[in-house]
Amino acid sequence: MTIQIGGTMNKPEKSTATSHPANTVPHGLTDRLELLNTFVRIVEAGSLSAAATQMHTTQPTISRRLKTFEQSLGVRLLQRSTHMMRLTEDGERCFARAKELLATWASFESELRGDNEEPEGLLRVLAPHAFGQEVLVAPLADFLRQHKKISVEWLLHDDRAIADFIAAGIDCAIQVGEVRDPAMVAIKLAEVPRIVAASPALLAGADLPTHASELTNLPWLALQTYYRNDITLTHTKTGETQRIPIQPRMSTDSLYALRSAAVTGLGVCVGSAWLLSEEIARGRLIHLLPEWQAAPLPVYIVYPYARFYPAKLRRFVELMRASMPSIINTLTSVMHQSA
């Protein structure tokens, strides 16, 4: 296994790892687990500096732990240079076995603690910007109030092509849209309705459209993440579908920018009901053709397959599964009231 690393890597060491007197090697199980976990994190993160960031410590500390671990085993685990880090043959074997040992130990602890296990530690969660700022903060706050020993890194990112979870140190992600990675566990939490809206200024006093086909002649805004050149609407009662080709005056990958552009009268947009409902209630947007909607977007919580999942992740998944349907239903009911 070869890992690219940044220019901050320590210089190559001249001597190879050798056995040291027993009193220089940590004997405690906690110490050994820490060294084992540090080694695994270095390999998965791709560099000592990335591992230090994820473990909330310094690169010299990570480097010192790695050296101590190699000395305790009497083998070289990593070959390092300024631009490259490569697992040795011993390192390859150690890495595979270390992951198994850590998972086994975590499972052992969890079994002993049983259902009364109190989750603790840092949970790193990836979420879309708009959804993560407005809709998901409430259940996140509930989760933190329920579990006093957990802290959360709430990372907002709109790219649905999620990077390597393990390398990035991500425990789970909330993803809007279909999940296509077969290596991920994907649990559907809810569906987000999408509606058509435009500013009163855009219509300039003209009659409101009565059929989806009439939207073709209006200027449009596009949300690059979900539609660019056309949008398909479906009548919620009859099931009739209408494909609308568009040449957007503006396209964006931001829900907030889409909403702001619609409010200024630049064009018609299709957006999540929860995002547009407030502006509709205030009269800054008009909900066009309420009986026509774009396909709802599924919301998933995703995380890598593993032999064992820590209590902090299990509890977070449980809370999100329980709370998301009611949250979306509440937002949808507000949208219907304002229509």
Side-chain angles (χ1 to χ4, degrees):
M1 181 183 295
T2 302
I3 306 163
Q4 296 291 339
I5 60 176
T8 58
M9 175 58 64
N10 296 341
K11 293 181 180 180
E13 300 177 21
K14 295 180 180 179
S15 61
T16 58
T18 57
S19 298
H20 281 57
N23 60 5
T24 67
V25 178
H27 287 280
L29 179 58
T30 300
D31 291 331
R32 291 187 180 279
L33 287 175
E34 180 182 60
L35 297 181
L36 203 65
N37 185 51
T38 299
F39 170 63
V40 170
R41 178 51 53 195
I42 291 169
V43 177
E44 292 180 336
S47 71
L48 274 71
S49 58
T53 298
Q54 293 178 15
M55 299 185 76
H56 296 277
T57 187
T58 63
Q59 182 172 328
T61 297
I62 295 297
S63 180
R64 184 169 58 252
R65 290 178 188 172
L66 174 61
K67 184 176 181 179
T68 300
F69 189 45
E70 289 180 324
Q71 290 175 346
S72 71
L73 297 176
V75 296
R76 173 74 69 186
L77 300 175
L78 291 167
Q79 294 291 346
R80 290 175 285 163
S81 66
T82 305
H83 303 292
M84 189 73 67
M85 183 170 70
R86 184 192 302 274
L87 282 168
T88 64
E89 289 187 10
D90 289 327
E92 292 275 5
R93 291 195 297 272
C94 181
F95 175 63
R97 188 70 177 124
K99 291 181 67 176
E100 293 179 4
L101 289 171
L102 288 172
T104 299
W105 178 257
S107 179
F108 169 69
E109 285 188 318
S110 181
E111 288 175 5
L112 287 181
R113 292 171 180 169
D115 294 335
N116 295 324
E117 176 185 6
E118 183 177 1
E120 59 183 305
L122 175 66
L123 185 72
R124 305 184 81 234
V125 183
L126 198 64
H129 268 100
F131 210 56
Q133 289 182 57
E134 296 200 20
V135 175
L136 298 176
V137 171
L140 171 64
D142 290 340
F143 175 73
L144 289 173
R145 279 191 287 265
Q146 292 176 25
H147 303 292
K148 304 297 185 181
K149 293 186 177 181
I150 293 181
S151 58
V152 172
E153 283 191 12
W154 195 242
L155 309 171
L156 303 183
H157 200 293
D158 285 331
D159 187 0
R160 289 188 296 161
I162 299 172
D164 187 337
F165 274 64
I166 296 175
I170 302 297
D171 292 290
C172 66
I174 308 297
Q175 180 171 325
V176 179
E178 293 295 340
V179 179
R180 296 181 174 84
D181 188 347
M184 305 300 292
V185 177
I187 299 174
K188 190 172 182 178
L189 302 176
E191 287 189 335
V192 177
R194 292 191 295 164
I195 61 175
V196 186
S199 166
L202 180 70
L203 302 173
D207 293 336
L208 295 178
T210 59
H211 191 274
S213 60
E214 298 174 36
L215 297 173
T216 305
N217 297 324
L218 294 174
W220 270 84
L221 307 171
L223 187 61
Q224 295 177 352
T225 318
Y226 302 108
Y227 65 96
R228 295 170 180 262
N229 303 310
D230 63 82
I231 188 75
T232 298
L233 301 178
T234 301
H235 196 282
T236 56
K237 294 182 178 178
T238 66
E240 178 187 357
T241 61
Q242 180 72 45
R243 176 183 171 275
I244 304 169
I246 62 175
Q247 294 182 334
R249 297 191 62 199
M250 170 188 163
S251 62
T252 179
D253 61 355
S254 166
L255 276 171
Y256 287 134
L258 181 79
R259 180 179 65 182
S260 297
V263 168
T264 64
L266 281 179
V268 179
C269 75
V270 167
S272 300
W274 64 266
L275 183 75
L276 302 178
S277 59
E278 182 178 348
E279 298 296 344
I280 292 171
R282 296 170 61 184
R284 287 156 56 92
L285 289 176
I286 298 174
H287 184 182
L288 301 180
L289 302 168
E291 293 184 343
W292 291 81
Q293 292 186 6
L297 294 175
V299 181
Y300 292 91
I301 186 165
V302 298
Y303 47 91
Y305 281 99
R307 291 175 55 190
F308 171 79
Y309 299 108
K312 60 185 179 180
L313 176 59
R314 299 199 307 269
R315 298 292 189 273
F316 184 72
V317 171
E318 290 168 3
L319 182 138
M320 295 305 295
R321 293 184 73 174
S323 61
M324 280 304 298
S326 61
I327 290 174
I328 296 299
N329 288 339
T330 299
L331 294 169
T332 303
S333 65
V334 171
M335 181 265 294
H336 288 319
Q337 294 169 10
S338 63

